[in-house]
Amino acid sequence: MTAADAAATMRAAGLRAPLACDTPEGIAAHGQCFELRTPAGVGVFVARVKGEVLWIDGAGSRSGAGLTEVGLALFDEMAKRCGCTHVAFETRRVGLVKKSKSAGYRVAGFIMKKAVA
């Protein structure tokens, strides 16, 4: 999958990165882009290895629902195959936090943001 295709899918899915300067195009350009196909639909994600962590820098779905559990399990397998000891990602989605916790993830930090005039 090309970075442009992954970025277009993430943008269409409404990806909102924590920082305004992070665009789907920028995220896709700095990692490996993958397409995930299941009976529930099609999604994309961008992954990169940094030290012992497999970072999922962005993800989006063309179909809506049903890919989270499959994606989280896939990330575990990818991390193991890459020699990573952890998987990490940032999200603003409360539902994803809940699903991730039930898959063994824990909240590891907070993003602080303030508007300046």
Side-chain angles (χ1 to χ4, degrees), residues 30-114:
H30 289 95
Q32 180 69 41
C33 302
F34 295 92
E35 183 175 75
L36 173 61
R37 291 184 171 271
T38 73
V42 178
V44 300
F45 63 95
V46 178
R48 67 184 161 90
V49 174
K50 185 173 182 183
E52 294 183 347
V53 180
L54 176 69
W55 278 94
I56 306 304
D57 289 321
S61 171
R62 296 180 191 144
S63 63
L67 295 172
T68 302
E69 291 82 2
V70 173
L72 292 174
L74 175 62
F75 302 157
D76 289 355
E77 185 60 33
M78 287 178 67
K80 290 174 190 173
R81 290 183 184 208
C82 292
C84 294
T85 57
H86 292 83
V87 177
F89 58 88
E90 293 180 31
T91 186
R92 293 181 179 183
R93 295 175 43 210
V94 175
L96 180 55
V97 171
K98 289 179 183 178
K99 287 181 180 181
S100 299
K101 282 183 173 181
S102 68
Y105 286 78
R106 64 178 176 78
V107 175
F110 299 93
I111 297 172
M112 305 303 292
K113 184 175 180 181
K114 175 186 174 185

Side-chain angles (χ1 to χ4, degrees), residues 5-15 22-26 44 59-60:
D5 291 339
T9 299
M10 287 187 292
R11 186 172 293 286
L15 175 73
D22 290 335
T23 64
E25 291 78 13
V44 300

